[in-house]
Amino acid sequence: DIRMPEMDGIEVLNQLRRTDGPNQAAPVLAFSADIANSESIAGLTFSGSVFKPIRPDALAIEVARVARRELA
C-alpha cells in the first residue's frame, strides 16, 4: 500500500530495490486509494498498480499483465 503508517509503500519498494537478494528484482504492485496519485506511482519502479477499492477482476488482470511481462 502506498500510504502505510511508519513505512510507506514507496520506502518499502526503495529498500527492496537497494538491498541485494532475491527480492531486489521481484515484481511489486502498488496499491492505493488515491487515483490522483496514479501518475506519481507510474514514475516509480513498481511493476504495476491497483486502485482501491480493489476489485478481484482488476487485481487478476494486473497480476497477469505483470507476470506476462516478467516471463517475456
Side-chain angles (χ1 to χ4, degrees), residues 66-72:
V66 169
R68 278 192 305 274
R69 188 175 64 217
E70 293 295 317
L71 293 172

Side-chain angles (χ1 to χ4, degrees), residues 54-65:
I54 297 171
R55 293 185 352 253
D57 60 328
L59 176 60
I61 289 167
E62 190 66 358
V63 168
R65 186 188 68 77

Side-chain angles (χ1 to χ4, degrees), residues 7 9 13-14 17 26 28 31 34 40-41 44 50 55-56 66 70 72:
M7 182 184 291
L13 176 70
N14 289 335
R17 299 300 184 232
V28 178
F31 290 81
D34 186 5
S40 61
I41 291 170
L44 301 170
V50 178
R55 293 185 352 253
V66 169
E70 293 295 317

Side-chain angles (χ1 to χ4, degrees), residues 9-27:
I10 295 168
E11 182 58 28
V12 170
L13 176 70
N14 289 335
Q15 284 194 16
L16 282 171
R17 299 300 184 232
R18 281 194 305 259
T19 305
D20 289 336
N23 293 324
Q24 188 174 31

Side-chain angles (χ1 to χ4, degrees), residues 27-49:
V28 178
L29 293 177
F31 290 81
S32 180
D34 186 5
I35 196 139
N37 218 7
S38 63
E39 287 185 24
S40 61
I41 291 170
L44 301 170
T45 57
F46 285 102
S47 305
S49 58

